[in-house]
């Protein structure tokens, strides 16, 4: 069971690292915060606690994706729609 959770944690880390490339405060800022968060919980051995942490990480992924989609939507709206109201 520990091996399957280890694989999930590594996959989560890679996904977050990939998403962090476009973070508004910069990739280096995101990478350092991500590494600190994972190192803080590196000694966790309880499978239930690890699953909770993985679920929290997946929630963060969804929030980042929403942030990026919103930023892209605003850019497209600004590009194609004129906000000047007479």
């Amino acid at each position: 069971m520990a091996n399957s959770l280890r694989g999930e944690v590594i996959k989560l880390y890679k996904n977050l690292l990939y998403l962090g490339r476009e973070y508004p405060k910069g990739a280096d800022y995101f990478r350092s915060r991500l590494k600190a968060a994972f190192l803080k919980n590196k000694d966790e051995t309880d499978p239930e606690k690890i699953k909770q942490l993985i679920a929290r990480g997946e929630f963060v992924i969804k929030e980042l994706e929403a942030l990026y989609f919103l930023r892209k939507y605003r850019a497209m709206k600004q590009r194609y729609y004129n906000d000047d109201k007479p």
Side-chain angles (χ1 to χ4, degrees):
M1 184 169 178
N3 286 338
S4 65
L5 290 177
R6 185 176 189 275
E8 286 184 46
V9 170
I10 291 171
K11 180 181 167 188
L12 177 67
Y13 185 81
K14 287 182 179 181
N15 286 340
L16 284 167
L17 195 60
Y18 177 78
L19 287 173
R21 295 183 311 159
E22 297 180 31
Y23 194 69
K25 289 189 176 181
D28 292 332
Y29 173 81
F30 186 85
R31 190 179 316 118
S32 65
R33 298 284 303 250
L34 178 65
K35 185 175 180 181
F38 273 77
L39 286 177
K40 184 176 83 172
N41 297 306
K42 73 175 184 171
D43 296 325
E44 190 62 51
T45 57
D46 181 28
E48 292 302 316
K49 177 70 174 170
I50 294 172
K51 287 178 184 177
Q52 289 176 351
L53 293 168
I54 290 171
R56 184 174 179 196
E58 290 171 353
F59 175 76
V60 170
I61 286 175
K62 289 178 184 175
E63 290 293 317
L64 283 172
E65 288 174 344
L67 174 75
Y68 296 156
F69 285 134
L70 182 62
R71 185 173 60 180
K72 288 179 184 178
Y73 169 76
R74 286 181 177 161
M76 293 293 284
K77 184 177 177 186
Q78 192 176 41
R79 189 173 298 145
Y80 291 109
Y81 295 104
N82 191 1
D83 288 340
D84 294 336
K85 295 181 181 176

